[in-house]
Amino acid sequence: MSATKEDVEKFLDGNPAFAQGYFNKKLTPGALSVMAGIPESKVDFGMLQELSQIEEGQILFDLIKEMQENVNMEKVVFKILKRIVALIQADRCSLFMYRERNGIAELATRLFNITTESELDDCVVHPDHEIVFPLDLGVVGNVAQTKKHINLKDANESSHFSSFVDDLTEYKTRNILASPIMNGEDVVAVIMALNKTTGPHFTTEDEDLFLKYLRIASLNLKIYHLLSALIFRGRNNIERQFHKALYTVRAYLNCDRYSVGLLDMTKEKEFFDIWPVLMGDQPPYAGPVTPDGREVIFYKVIDYILHGKEDIKVIATPTLEHWVLCTGLPTYVAETAFTLCLPMMQSEPLDDSGWTIKNVLSMPIVNMMEEIVGVATFYNRKDGKPFDQQDEELMEAMTNFLGWSHLNTDTNDRMKMMENRKDIAQDMVLYHVKCRDDEIQTILKTRQYFNREPCDCEEDEFLQILKKELPGPKKFEIYEFGFSDFDCTELELVMCGIQMYYEVGVVKKFQVPQEVLVRFLFSISKGYRKITYHNWRHGFNVGQTMFTLLTTGNLKRYYTDLEVMAMITSAFLHDIDHRGTNNLYQVKSGNPLAKLHGSSVLERHHLEFSKFLLADESLNIYQNLNRRQNEHAIHLLDIAIIATDLQLYFKKRTMFQKIVDLSKTYEDEKKWVDWMSLETTRKEIVLAMMMTACDLSAITKPWEVQSKVALFEAAEFWEQGDLEREVLEKQPITMMDRNCAGQLPKLQCGFIDFVCTFIYKEFSRFHPAIQPMYDGLLNNRKEWKAKQEEYEAKQAILEAQSGQSGGYIASQLRTNSYFQ
């Protein structure tokens, strides 16, 4: 009687030892070739035999060991996927990593087209060449979205299949086997196998084998996700980090329980802790210390219970009598940095469940600074056996991640501390800069007019006050290019600045709260330092020139009212908190500003300070703008303030000249204005050049004004030169050297010729109404040239003379005679 298939299966099931022996005897490449239907040369017998003999635990051990040694996710997953390709006879396999960019979820190729003959370097995808799938595109995206594996026997029959990758790579996808890699509820990655090579599609057996070995790959990806997603994304609390890390991988920790003791990282005691020792009231510490000299103090113990009902216990400031510490094992590990494994222990029951310690593995948690930050102790291997080398290497890999987690968390804590210090510093600055309630009464006199505080008044009441208190446009001639601030107090300049906003009609149009406007201008004046030249008077003069260019110079016709408001505001703010030294000095002196900003050092600081003021609701004149208007106003602030860096001047002047030339090609002025008004980039270029023209406008003022302002500016330069000589121990350049004061006229002529002439000549050509600025410049050049010739003539006479008296007279002439 012949045996049936069922009889054979029953016999083999009942005699596993015989089946194993027969399998090992008969398994040959030839037999596999016949069974699989592939050429014998293609049979990777060694790989198959290896996988048939190695248990999943051994594969896990190899994986963790390699990961620990290489910290290379791609290398480990590549080996697993290469094995899977051979096992299920797939043509190729790929790994897609899940990520979020700008809040949008997507999948990107990390390992692509792995075959049985692939090399790792050929399959790792460079970021510049990655293929990206949004979650609503393709089978890969659908798998990530549904979080379910899929076996497509015919790809073309799936509504989710997208052929764009086939078109891109000239490949033909017939069938697909794909599965998400999950970390709890989160998708980490998607792994996909394509095209069964020995049949029409992947079978159920292939699917089972695929999913089985993906569990091994998933461990690596989960730990990678743990490092990248948990450690680097949620870095705000070290205890939570350790919990997340160990809870995520708890299934792979072959123990009943584990505890983490966190060490105090303090290396130096506070003075009030040292005093009792110095006074003899307390003996000096004589206990164990870490290798880097810290007292071994466990400030917290976190106890993770895995047997029975899972639980977590957090013990703050534990005593040495606590069961985790009473053995002395964590303390010894913290002191020596050794890993200790105690194979057999006996203890009394530690809780109501009757749980006792049987064996222990304890190891240090070391951060990337090689500091011991804690001790992890694992209790009772689940099978009752002592912990072995495999357990030690697996758990050491876990503690490595904990160490990195600690360093990143510590770095984040330091960053938060710096943020807190910055906030405190900003609060101090705002306290000193912000307009006080008593100061606002010097302009917005609500107490005098209505016997009320500003917060109790209405907008029409503010308007009544300001109409009476503001100087109006004519008193100080704010519409004139030749405006001088010499006859104005700083408070009157603030009031003139407020007046300008009413003159251009933006207060009512954009619902600027009038109390806020007053506080804002007053605060700007306080934000400028009391230095020789770059003070509030300079800031106001730049704002006044911007106002005049827009109104008297008729440049306003190209800009909207919102843009006009933003331009005037930017001009007032452009040098706020100037230090009286230039960008180069910030770099040479190692000022923190130079370390913070790579270019346009002071300009970027002025910009940040401006935004800092506008961020305060009581100073934010833009508070009633909609989002788009506010963004546009801030965008113009960026352009305007950075444009005052003279290093950028030469980059923009050719572009400005082209605009001026183009304006002369239009016979119809209205068409030109309409066209310019719609050309955003050209308007921004004109704005940038206007800021330079405003910043340097003192050079165009009437001679009696210009000659005095030039001395203020020169004096500030000389003060910087003194600092360079005394602090930096360097010889300053001629412009900064007070010993070369007599050369000021020559330097002024050179500055006019090299920098200023182009600006004002082109603006006068652009708009004839701006001609007074160019005329003023030419007149001042004539005056400076006369001073230069006078100085050079006297120098020639002195050089012809001999003796010490000549040098003394020359010195007196340099410093006293030219600008009386």
Side-chain angles (χ1 to χ4, degrees):
M1 186 175 67
S2 60
T4 64
K5 177 182 178 181
E6 289 74 20
D7 294 334
V8 174
E9 288 179 349
K10 184 177 180 180
F11 174 82
L12 292 175
D13 290 340
N15 297 274
F18 173 84
Q20 181 66 44
Y22 188 84
F23 176 82
N24 291 338
K25 181 179 179 181
K26 294 296 184 180
L27 187 63
T28 64
L32 284 174
S33 176
V34 173
M35 287 188 292
I38 58 176
E40 186 172 332
S41 62
K42 294 290 185 180
V43 174
D44 191 350
F45 179 75
M47 181 182 294
L48 182 62
Q49 190 175 47
E50 179 187 5
L51 283 173
S52 69
Q53 293 175 351
I54 301 177
E55 295 179 354
E56 189 168 324
Q58 182 63 39
I59 294 175
L60 175 62
F61 168 71
D62 291 341
L63 174 64
I64 294 295
K65 184 175 181 181
E66 185 158 4
M67 181 181 60
Q68 181 185 354
E69 293 172 353
N70 297 294
V71 196
N72 188 326
M73 178 273 293
E74 289 91 350
K75 183 175 181 180
V76 179
V77 175
F78 172 78
K79 291 182 69 175
I80 298 295
L81 298 189
K82 190 172 180 179
R83 289 175 177 176
I84 289 175
V85 167
L87 285 170
I88 65 174
Q89 291 93 44
D91 181 58
R92 57 195 58 198
C93 205
S94 298
L95 168 68
F96 301 84
M97 295 299 295
Y98 176 90
R99 70 187 182 199
E100 290 187 8
R101 290 198 300 188
N102 300 322
I104 300 174
E106 62 188 20
L107 291 147
T109 48
R110 182 67 65 88
L111 294 170
F112 194 57
N113 287 350
I114 300 172
T115 68
T116 56
E117 299 176 355
S118 294
E119 297 294 333
L120 175 62
D121 292 341
D122 298 328
C123 298
V124 176
V125 180
H126 189 275
D128 293 340
H129 301 104
E130 63 187 13
I131 300 172
V132 178
F133 284 86
L135 296 197
D136 58 354
L137 178 66
V139 174
V140 175
N142 181 252
V143 168
Q145 199 168 41
T146 62
K147 302 179 182 179
K148 296 179 180 179
H149 69 269
I150 192 170
N151 184 355
L152 286 181
K153 297 180 179 179
D154 187 344
N156 291 318
E157 292 183 358
S158 171
S159 61
H160 300 294
F161 177 67
S162 174
S163 63
F164 89 92
V165 178
D166 282 3
D167 298 336
L168 187 67
T169 59
E170 298 182 354
Y171 184 77
K172 179 64 177 176
T173 299
R174 299 193 317 274
N175 36 71
I176 301 173
L177 194 54
S179 176
I181 302 297
M182 305 296 296
N183 185 21
E185 295 296 320
D186 299 326
V187 177
V188 177
V190 172
I191 290 178
M192 173 183 285
L194 300 180
N195 294 1
K196 177 79 171 181
T197 58
T198 57
H201 53 75
F202 293 108
T203 65
T204 304
E205 289 77 14
D206 294 329
E207 188 176 338
D208 292 341
L209 196 57
F210 179 71
L211 295 175
K212 176 181 179 182
Y213 286 100
L214 282 193
R215 294 192 195 105
I216 304 169
S218 71
L219 170 62
N220 181 258
L221 289 165
K222 282 179 180 179
I223 295 176
Y224 176 79
H225 183 259
L226 174 70
L227 179 63
S228 59
L230 297 181
I231 291 178
F232 293 104
R233 241 187 278 168
R235 300 175 290 191
N236 57 338
N237 183 284
I238 189 62
E239 289 87 354
R240 192 188 324 168
Q241 280 307 111
F242 281 16
H243 165 59
K244 285 183 177 180
L246 285 166
Y247 185 80
T248 300
V249 296
R250 69 194 187 286
Y252 304 105
L253 301 179
N254 189 24
C255 62
D256 282 348
R257 194 168 187 161
Y258 54 90
S259 64
V260 175
L262 300 177
L263 281 172
D264 188 343
M265 299 300 292
T266 305
K267 291 186 178 181
E268 296 184 5
K269 286 184 174 294
E270 295 282 2
F271 63 88
F272 45 78
D273 290 323
I274 296 175
W275 283 347
V277 177
L278 297 178
M279 293 295 292
D281 298 333
Q282 182 178 309
Y285 180 81
V289 294
T290 62
D292 62 344
R294 285 175 288 124
E295 296 178 8
V296 176
I297 300 173
F298 290 96
Y299 73 88
K300 187 169 291 186
V301 169
I302 311 170
D303 185 18
Y304 300 85
I305 302 169
L306 301 180
H307 62 93
K309 183 180 179 181
E310 290 190 10
D311 194 11
I312 302 170
K313 297 180 179 179
V314 179
I315 303 94
T317 59
T319 64
L320 292 177
E321 287 70 36
H322 187 272
W323 72 266
V324 172
L325 303 179
C326 68
T327 61
L329 190 59
T331 301
Y332 181 77
V333 171
E335 181 181 14
T336 63
F338 293 158
T339 294
L340 291 183
C341 183
L342 300 182
M344 298 298 293
M345 288 185 64
Q346 294 293 332
S347 73
E348 296 294 326
L350 299 176
D351 53 35
D352 296 338
S353 68
W355 184 80
T356 61
I357 301 176
K358 298 175 183 176
N359 44 59
V360 178
L361 175 62
S362 187
M363 55 184 59
I365 301 172
V366 182
N367 67 18
M368 295 179 74
M369 305 295 291
E370 297 187 356
E371 299 168 325
I372 298 177
V373 299
V375 175
T377 308
F378 305 88
Y379 304 96
N380 297 4
R381 186 164 141 160
K382 289 180 180 178
D383 58 7
K385 298 178 181 178
F387 291 106
D388 57 22
Q389 185 69 22
Q390 178 177 336
D391 297 317
E392 187 174 328
E393 295 198 20
L394 170 63
M395 294 173 183
E396 187 176 348
M398 298 302 105
T399 56
N400 281 343
F401 283 120
L402 295 181
W404 299 339
S405 172
H406 184 280
L407 183 64
N408 281 280
T409 306
D410 183 59
T411 302
N412 190 62
D413 289 342
R414 291 174 185 270
M415 290 177 65
K416 284 190 173 182
M417 187 176 294
M418 291 175 64
E419 281 289 320
N420 291 334
R421 286 175 177 166
K422 184 197 75 173
D423 291 342
I424 293 170
Q426 287 183 337
D427 186 60
M428 292 168 60
V429 169
L430 198 59
Y431 174 80
H432 291 287
V433 170
K434 193 173 177 180
C435 176
R436 300 191 309 270
D437 289 342
D438 61 314
E439 290 173 327
I440 198 173
Q441 292 296 325
T442 59
I443 300 175
L444 199 60
K445 301 177 180 179
T446 59
R447 296 172 185 170
Q448 176 181 324
Y449 281 87
F450 302 112
N451 196 28
R452 297 201 301 271
E453 294 299 317
C455 60
D456 299 320
C457 296
E458 301 294 332
E459 289 295 320
D460 59 345
E461 293 175 320
F462 292 145
L463 187 59
Q464 290 177 43
I465 297 172
L466 292 175
K467 280 182 176 180
K468 295 179 180 179
E469 296 296 326
L470 293 182
K474 295 182 179 179
K475 181 178 180 180
F476 296 111
E477 299 181 331
I478 60 175
Y479 279 92
E480 299 299 321
F481 287 113
F483 168 85
S484 170
D485 66 276
F486 290 165
D487 296 328
C488 303
T489 66
E490 291 194 358
L491 180 61
E492 287 173 331
L493 294 180
V494 173
M495 298 170 76
C496 286
I498 296 169
Q499 182 74 50
M500 292 175 192
Y501 285 88
Y502 286 98
E503 293 297 310
V504 294
V506 297
V507 178
K508 184 176 181 180
K509 181 169 184 176
F510 298 111
Q511 301 176 49
V512 180
Q514 293 168 104
E515 180 189 354
V516 172
L517 179 62
V518 175
R519 288 186 183 275
F520 179 62
L521 265 296
F522 205 115
S523 298
I524 291 177
S525 71
K526 294 178 69 178
Y528 279 86
R529 299 190 180 196
K530 304 294 184 181
I531 54 180
T532 307
Y533 176 68
H534 286 98
N535 48 42
W536 164 233
R537 290 184 178 273
H538 168 71
F540 174 82
N541 275 298
V542 173
Q544 184 273 333
T545 306
M546 176 61 75
F547 170 80
T548 308
L549 282 173
L550 288 166
T551 54
T552 307
N554 205 23
L555 291 173
K556 183 177 180 290
R557 61 182 178 172
Y558 304 124
Y559 298 95
T560 66
D561 289 339
L562 175 64
E563 290 167 342
V564 167
M565 179 167 72
M567 293 162 74
I568 294 173
T569 302
S570 301
F572 284 135
L573 287 164
H574 85 285
D575 265 341
I576 194 166
D577 197 45
H578 198 289
R579 280 69 191 306
T581 50
N582 63 15
N583 284 338
L584 188 58
Y585 184 82
Q586 313 309 314
V587 175
K588 287 182 177 179
S589 63
N591 190 286
L593 287 179
K595 299 174 184 178
L596 183 62
H597 307 296
S599 62
S600 303
V601 176
L602 284 169
E603 290 75 20
R604 295 189 189 281
H605 173 62
H606 305 324
L607 178 59
E608 286 197 359
F609 201 108
S610 302
K611 292 179 179 178
F612 166 62
L613 290 184
L614 287 166
D616 188 283
E617 193 70 10
S618 67
L619 305 178
N620 183 12
I621 60 174
Y622 298 150
Q623 61 186 253
N624 288 324
L625 300 180
N626 62 41
R627 182 180 61 83
R628 182 171 294 181
Q629 289 174 323
N630 186 74
E631 289 175 353
H632 187 49
I634 297 300
H635 173 65
L636 294 180
L637 182 74
D638 291 343
I639 293 172
I641 293 182
I642 299 301
T644 58
D645 184 355
L646 272 181
Q647 292 289 328
L648 306 177
Y649 161 68
F650 298 100
K651 294 182 179 180
K652 64 193 178 189
R653 71 181 200 171
T654 302
M655 294 182 286
F656 176 62
Q657 189 173 42
K658 288 181 180 179
I659 295 171
V660 176
D661 291 340
L662 187 61
S663 70
K664 300 306 176 185
T665 65
Y666 277 74
E667 295 182 1
D668 188 327
E669 185 176 348
K670 184 178 184 305
K671 288 184 178 179
W672 163 251
V673 174
D674 291 343
W675 182 82
M676 257 300 284
S677 300
L678 297 174
E679 284 291 324
T680 302
T681 301
R682 289 183 173 88
K683 286 167 62 176
E684 290 176 355
I685 293 169
V686 173
L687 162 61
M689 192 59 80
M690 288 172 69
M691 286 299 297
T692 302
C694 295
D695 202 14
L696 305 179
S697 61
I699 202 77
T700 70
K701 300 289 183 177
W703 173 248
E704 59 272 16
V705 176
Q706 154 62 188
S707 57
K708 293 180 181 179
V709 174
L711 281 180
F712 291 137
E713 188 174 9
E716 190 173 279
F717 285 154
W718 296 333
E719 289 165 5
Q720 176 175 325
D722 295 342
L723 288 173
E724 291 181 3
R725 187 181 285 110
E726 296 165 9
V727 178
L728 303 183
E729 298 181 349
K730 294 182 181 297
Q731 175 61 33
I733 61 175
T734 303
M735 182 174 67
M736 305 283 183
D737 191 349
R738 66 173 65 252
N739 297 324
C740 301
Q743 296 190 38
L744 177 60
K746 181 180 179 180
L747 292 171
Q748 286 291 93
C749 287
F751 183 64
I752 290 172
D753 294 342
F754 187 61
V755 177
C756 301
T757 300
F758 173 86
I759 304 172
Y760 301 107
K761 181 179 180 180
E762 290 302 306
F763 265 114
S764 66
R765 194 163 67 91
F766 189 41
H767 274 217
I770 306 176
Q771 184 70 32
M773 296 189 81
Y774 185 45
D775 292 341
L777 176 78
L778 295 178
N779 181 67
N780 288 331
R781 189 195 187 284
K782 184 176 67 175
E783 295 285 351
W784 286 119
K785 187 64 178 176
K787 293 289 185 184
Q788 177 187 348
E789 291 172 353
E790 180 185 348
Y791 171 76
E792 290 175 349
K794 290 181 180 180
Q795 283 295 101
I797 294 172
L798 292 173
E799 288 174 4
Q801 298 175 350
S802 59
Q804 294 296 318
S805 60
Y808 174 77
I809 294 171
S811 174
Q812 294 302 303
L813 287 171
R814 277 199 301 269
T815 55
N816 297 324
S817 26
Y818 291 110
F819 311 111
Q820 301 301 319

